[in-house]
CSV table of all heavy atoms in Angstrom, one decimal:
chain,number,residue,atom,x,y,z
M,1,ARG,N,0.8,-1.2,0.0
M,1,ARG,CA,0.0,0.0,0.0
M,1,ARG,C,0.9,1.2,0.0
M,1,ARG,O,1.8,1.4,0.8
M,1,ARG,CB,-0.9,0.0,1.2
M,1,ARG,CG,-1.7,-1.2,1.4
M,1,ARG,CD,-2.9,-1.3,0.4
M,1,ARG,NE,-3.8,-0.2,0.5
M,1,ARG,CZ,-4.9,-0.1,-0.3
M,1,ARG,NH1,-5.1,-1.0,-1.3
M,1,ARG,NH2,-5.7,1.0,-0.2
M,2,VAL,N,0.6,2.2,-0.9
M,2,VAL,CA,1.3,3.4,-1.0
M,2,VAL,C,0.3,4.5,-1.3
M,2,VAL,O,-0.8,4.2,-1.6
M,2,VAL,CB,2.4,3.4,-2.1
M,2,VAL,CG1,3.5,2.3,-1.8
M,2,VAL,CG2,1.8,3.2,-3.5
M,3,THR,N,0.8,5.7,-1.4
M,3,THR,CA,-0.1,6.9,-1.9
M,3,THR,C,0.4,7.2,-3.3
M,3,THR,O,1.5,7.2,-3.6
M,3,THR,CB,0.1,8.1,-1.0
M,3,THR,OG1,1.5,8.5,-0.9
M,3,THR,CG2,-0.6,7.9,0.4
M,4,ASP,N,-0.6,7.4,-4.1
M,4,ASP,CA,-0.4,7.7,-5.5
M,4,ASP,C,0.0,9.2,-5.7
M,4,ASP,O,0.1,9.9,-4.7
M,4,ASP,CB,-1.6,7.4,-6.4
M,4,ASP,CG,-2.8,8.3,-6.2
M,4,ASP,OD1,-2.7,9.3,-5.5
M,4,ASP,OD2,-3.9,7.9,-6.7
M,5,PRO,N,0.3,9.7,-6.9
M,5,PRO,CA,0.8,11.1,-7.0
M,5,PRO,C,-0.2,12.1,-6.5
M,5,PRO,O,0.2,13.2,-6.2
M,5,PRO,CB,1.0,11.2,-8.5
M,5,PRO,CG,1.4,9.8,-8.9
M,5,PRO,CD,0.6,8.9,-8.1
M,6,GLY,N,-1.5,11.7,-6.4
M,6,GLY,CA,-2.5,12.6,-6.0
M,6,GLY,C,-2.7,12.5,-4.5
M,6,GLY,O,-3.5,13.3,-3.9
M,7,GLY,N,-2.0,11.6,-3.8
M,7,GLY,CA,-2.1,11.5,-2.3
M,7,GLY,C,-3.1,10.5,-1.8
M,7,GLY,O,-3.3,10.3,-0.6
M,8,THR,N,-3.7,9.7,-2.7
M,8,THR,CA,-4.7,8.7,-2.4
M,8,THR,C,-4.0,7.4,-2.1
M,8,THR,O,-3.2,7.0,-2.9
M,8,THR,CB,-5.7,8.6,-3.5
M,8,THR,OG1,-6.4,9.8,-3.7
M,8,THR,CG2,-6.8,7.5,-3.1
M,9,GLU,N,-4.4,6.7,-1.1
M,9,GLU,CA,-3.8,5.4,-0.8
M,9,GLU,C,-4.2,4.4,-1.8
M,9,GLU,O,-5.5,4.3,-2.1
M,9,GLU,CB,-4.1,4.9,0.6
M,9,GLU,CG,-3.3,3.6,1.0
M,9,GLU,CD,-3.5,3.2,2.4
M,9,GLU,OE1,-3.0,4.0,3.3
M,9,GLU,OE2,-4.1,2.2,2.6
M,10,VAL,N,-3.3,3.6,-2.4
M,10,VAL,CA,-3.7,2.6,-3.4
M,10,VAL,C,-3.0,1.3,-3.2
M,10,VAL,O,-2.0,1.3,-2.5
M,10,VAL,CB,-3.4,3.2,-4.9
M,10,VAL,CG1,-4.2,4.4,-5.2
M,10,VAL,CG2,-1.9,3.5,-5.0
M,11,ASP,N,-3.4,0.3,-3.9
M,11,ASP,CA,-2.7,-1.0,-4.0
M,11,ASP,C,-1.6,-0.7,-5.0
M,11,ASP,O,-1.8,-0.4,-6.2
M,11,ASP,CB,-3.6,-2.1,-4.4
M,11,ASP,CG,-2.9,-3.4,-4.6
M,11,ASP,OD1,-2.4,-3.6,-5.8
M,11,ASP,OD2,-2.8,-4.2,-3.7
M,12,LEU,N,-0.3,-0.9,-4.6
M,12,LEU,CA,0.8,-0.6,-5.5
M,12,LEU,C,0.8,-1.5,-6.7
M,12,LEU,O,1.1,-1.0,-7.9
M,12,LEU,CB,2.1,-0.7,-4.8
M,12,LEU,CG,3.4,-0.4,-5.6
M,12,LEU,CD1,3.3,0.9,-6.2
M,12,LEU,CD2,4.7,-0.7,-4.9
M,13,LEU,N,0.6,-2.7,-6.6
M,13,LEU,CA,0.7,-3.6,-7.7
M,13,LEU,C,-0.4,-3.2,-8.7
M,13,LEU,O,0.0,-3.1,-9.9
M,13,LEU,CB,0.5,-5.1,-7.3
M,13,LEU,CG,0.5,-6.1,-8.4
M,13,LEU,CD1,1.9,-6.1,-9.2
M,13,LEU,CD2,0.3,-7.5,-7.9
M,14,ALA,N,-1.6,-3.0,-8.3
M,14,ALA,CA,-2.6,-2.5,-9.3
M,14,ALA,C,-2.3,-1.2,-9.9
M,14,ALA,O,-2.4,-1.0,-11.2
M,14,ALA,CB,-4.0,-2.4,-8.6
M,15,HIS,N,-1.7,-0.3,-9.1
M,15,HIS,CA,-1.3,1.0,-9.7
M,15,HIS,C,-0.3,0.9,-10.7
M,15,HIS,O,-0.2,1.5,-11.7
M,15,HIS,CB,-0.9,1.9,-8.5
M,15,HIS,CG,-0.4,3.3,-8.9
M,15,HIS,ND1,-1.3,4.3,-9.3
M,15,HIS,CD2,0.8,3.8,-9.2
M,15,HIS,CE1,-0.6,5.4,-9.6
M,15,HIS,NE2,0.7,5.1,-9.6
M,16,ALA,N,0.8,0.0,-10.4
M,16,ALA,CA,1.9,-0.2,-11.2
M,16,ALA,C,1.5,-0.8,-12.6
M,16,ALA,O,2.0,-0.4,-13.6
M,16,ALA,CB,3.0,-1.0,-10.6
M,17,LEU,N,0.5,-1.7,-12.5
M,17,LEU,CA,0.0,-2.4,-13.7
M,17,LEU,C,-0.8,-1.4,-14.6
M,17,LEU,O,-0.7,-1.4,-15.8
M,17,LEU,CB,-0.8,-3.6,-13.4
M,17,LEU,CG,-0.1,-4.8,-12.7
M,17,LEU,CD1,-1.1,-5.9,-12.3
M,17,LEU,CD2,1.0,-5.3,-13.5
M,18,ALA,N,-1.5,-0.5,-14.0
M,18,ALA,CA,-2.3,0.4,-14.7
M,18,ALA,C,-1.5,1.6,-15.3
M,18,ALA,O,-1.9,2.2,-16.3
M,18,ALA,CB,-3.4,1.0,-13.8
M,19,HIS,N,-0.3,1.8,-14.8
M,19,HIS,CA,0.5,2.9,-15.2
M,19,HIS,C,1.9,2.4,-15.7
M,19,HIS,O,2.9,3.1,-15.5
M,19,HIS,CB,0.6,3.9,-14.1
M,19,HIS,CG,-0.6,4.5,-13.7
M,19,HIS,ND1,-1.3,5.6,-14.3
M,19,HIS,CD2,-1.5,4.1,-12.6
M,19,HIS,CE1,-2.4,5.8,-13.7
M,19,HIS,NE2,-2.6,5.0,-12.7
M,20,ARG,N,2.0,1.3,-16.2
M,20,ARG,CA,3.3,0.6,-16.6
M,20,ARG,C,4.1,1.6,-17.4
M,20,ARG,O,5.3,1.7,-17.3
M,20,ARG,CB,3.0,-0.7,-17.4
M,20,ARG,CG,4.3,-1.3,-17.9
M,20,ARG,CD,4.0,-2.7,-18.4
M,20,ARG,NE,2.9,-2.8,-19.4
M,20,ARG,CZ,3.1,-2.7,-20.7
M,20,ARG,NH1,4.3,-2.5,-21.2
M,20,ARG,NH2,2.1,-2.7,-21.5
M,21,ASP,N,3.5,2.3,-18.4
M,21,ASP,CA,4.3,3.2,-19.3
M,21,ASP,C,4.8,4.4,-18.7
M,21,ASP,O,5.6,5.1,-19.2
M,21,ASP,CB,3.4,3.6,-20.5
M,21,ASP,CG,3.2,2.4,-21.5
M,21,ASP,OD1,3.9,1.4,-21.4
M,21,ASP,OD2,2.3,2.6,-22.4
M,22,GLU,N,4.5,4.7,-17.4
M,22,GLU,CA,4.9,5.8,-16.7
M,22,GLU,C,5.7,5.6,-15.5
M,22,GLU,O,6.0,6.5,-14.7
M,22,GLU,CB,3.6,6.7,-16.3
M,22,GLU,CG,2.8,7.2,-17.5
M,22,GLU,CD,3.6,8.1,-18.4
M,22,GLU,OE1,4.4,8.9,-17.9
M,22,GLU,OE2,3.4,8.0,-19.6
M,23,LEU,N,6.2,4.3,-15.3
M,23,LEU,CA,6.9,4.0,-14.1
M,23,LEU,C,8.2,3.2,-14.4
M,23,LEU,O,8.3,2.5,-15.4
M,23,LEU,CB,6.0,3.1,-13.2
M,23,LEU,CG,4.8,3.7,-12.7
M,23,LEU,CD1,3.9,2.7,-11.9
M,23,LEU,CD2,5.1,4.9,-11.7
M,24,ILE,N,9.2,3.3,-13.5
M,24,ILE,CA,10.4,2.6,-13.7
M,24,ILE,C,10.8,2.1,-12.3
M,24,ILE,O,10.6,2.7,-11.3
M,24,ILE,CB,11.6,3.6,-14.2
M,24,ILE,CG1,12.9,2.9,-14.4
M,24,ILE,CG2,11.7,4.8,-13.2
M,24,ILE,CD1,13.9,3.7,-15.2
M,25,LEU,N,11.2,0.8,-12.3
M,25,LEU,CA,11.6,0.1,-11.0
M,25,LEU,C,13.1,0.1,-10.8
M,25,LEU,O,13.8,-0.2,-11.8
M,25,LEU,CB,11.1,-1.4,-11.2
M,25,LEU,CG,11.4,-2.3,-10.1
M,25,LEU,CD1,10.6,-2.0,-8.8
M,25,LEU,CD2,11.1,-3.8,-10.5
M,26,LYS,N,13.5,0.5,-9.6
M,26,LYS,CA,14.9,0.5,-9.3
M,26,LYS,C,15.3,-0.1,-8.0
M,26,LYS,O,14.6,0.0,-7.0
M,26,LYS,CB,15.4,2.1,-9.2
M,26,LYS,CG,15.1,2.9,-10.5
M,26,LYS,CD,15.5,4.3,-10.2
M,26,LYS,CE,15.4,5.2,-11.5
M,26,LYS,NZ,15.8,6.5,-11.3
M,27,PRO,N,16.4,-0.9,-8.0
M,27,PRO,CA,16.9,-1.4,-6.7
M,27,PRO,C,17.6,-0.3,-5.9
M,27,PRO,O,18.1,0.7,-6.5
M,27,PRO,CB,18.0,-2.5,-7.1
M,27,PRO,CG,18.4,-2.0,-8.5
M,27,PRO,CD,17.2,-1.3,-9.1
M,28,THR,N,17.5,-0.4,-4.6
M,28,THR,CA,18.0,0.8,-3.8
M,28,THR,C,19.5,0.9,-3.7
M,28,THR,O,20.1,1.9,-3.6
M,28,THR,CB,17.4,0.7,-2.4
M,28,THR,OG1,17.8,-0.5,-1.8
M,28,THR,CG2,15.9,0.9,-2.4
M,29,LEU,N,20.2,-0.3,-3.8
M,29,LEU,CA,21.6,-0.3,-3.5
M,29,LEU,C,22.5,-0.4,-4.7
M,29,LEU,O,23.7,0.0,-4.6
M,29,LEU,CB,21.9,-1.5,-2.6
M,29,LEU,CG,21.4,-1.3,-1.1
M,29,LEU,CD1,21.7,-2.6,-0.3
M,29,LEU,CD2,22.0,-0.1,-0.5
M,30,LEU,N,22.0,-0.9,-5.8
M,30,LEU,CA,22.9,-1.1,-7.0
M,30,LEU,C,23.2,0.2,-7.7
M,30,LEU,O,22.4,1.2,-7.5
M,30,LEU,CB,22.4,-2.1,-8.0
M,30,LEU,CG,22.1,-3.5,-7.4
M,30,LEU,CD1,21.7,-4.5,-8.5
M,30,LEU,CD2,23.5,-4.1,-6.7
M,31,HIS,N,24.2,0.3,-8.6
M,31,HIS,CA,24.5,1.5,-9.3
M,31,HIS,C,24.7,1.2,-10.7
M,31,HIS,O,24.7,0.1,-11.2
M,31,HIS,CB,25.8,2.2,-8.7
M,31,HIS,CG,27.1,1.4,-9.0
M,31,HIS,ND1,27.3,0.2,-8.5
M,31,HIS,CD2,28.1,1.8,-9.9
M,31,HIS,CE1,28.5,-0.1,-9.0
M,31,HIS,NE2,29.0,0.8,-9.9
M,32,GLY,N,25.0,2.3,-11.5
M,32,GLY,CA,25.3,2.2,-12.9
M,32,GLY,C,24.2,1.6,-13.8
M,32,GLY,O,24.4,1.1,-14.8
M,33,GLY,N,22.9,1.8,-13.4
M,33,GLY,CA,21.8,1.3,-14.1
M,33,GLY,C,21.5,-0.2,-13.9
M,33,GLY,O,20.6,-0.7,-14.5
M,34,ASN,N,22.3,-0.8,-13.1
M,34,ASN,CA,22.1,-2.3,-12.8
M,34,ASN,C,20.8,-2.6,-12.1
M,34,ASN,O,20.4,-1.9,-11.1
M,34,ASN,CB,23.2,-2.9,-12.0
M,34,ASN,CG,24.6,-2.9,-12.7
M,34,ASN,OD1,24.6,-3.2,-13.9
M,34,ASN,ND2,25.6,-2.5,-12.0
M,35,GLY,N,20.0,-3.6,-12.6
M,35,GLY,CA,18.8,-4.0,-12.0
M,35,GLY,C,17.6,-3.1,-12.2
M,35,GLY,O,16.5,-3.4,-11.7
M,36,ILE,N,17.7,-2.1,-13.1
M,36,ILE,CA,16.6,-1.2,-13.4
M,36,ILE,C,15.7,-1.8,-14.4
M,36,ILE,O,16.2,-2.3,-15.4
M,36,ILE,CB,17.1,0.2,-13.8
M,36,ILE,CG1,17.7,0.9,-12.6
M,36,ILE,CG2,16.0,1.0,-14.4
M,36,ILE,CD1,18.4,2.3,-12.9
M,37,THR,N,14.4,-1.7,-14.2
M,37,THR,CA,13.4,-2.1,-15.3
M,37,THR,C,12.5,-0.9,-15.5
M,37,THR,O,11.8,-0.4,-14.7
M,37,THR,CB,12.6,-3.3,-14.8
M,37,THR,OG1,13.4,-4.4,-14.4
M,37,THR,CG2,11.6,-3.7,-15.8
M,38,ALA,N,12.5,-0.5,-16.8
M,38,ALA,CA,11.6,0.6,-17.3
M,38,ALA,C,10.2,-0.1,-17.7
M,38,ALA,O,10.3,-1.0,-18.6
M,38,ALA,CB,12.2,1.4,-18.4
């Protein structure tokens, strides 16, 4: 559960699926673009 850009609490998986073209997934610790999924 997270808040969306408008501040409304949402289910993250559902939000991510609905907005796939506008989101990028990043690992917190790696560098140099490793592990990133657009």
Side-chain angles (χ1 to χ4, degrees):
R1 304 291 295 180
V2 301
T3 53
D4 68 12
T8 301
E9 186 174 296
V10 296
D11 177 273
L12 176 62
L13 181 58
H15 178 81
L17 294 178
H19 299 276
R20 173 169 56 90
D21 286 346
E22 297 299 324
L23 296 174
I24 186 166
L25 177 69
K26 300 179 176 182
T28 58
L29 289 175
L30 301 184
H31 74 288
N34 293 317
I36 288 177
T37 302

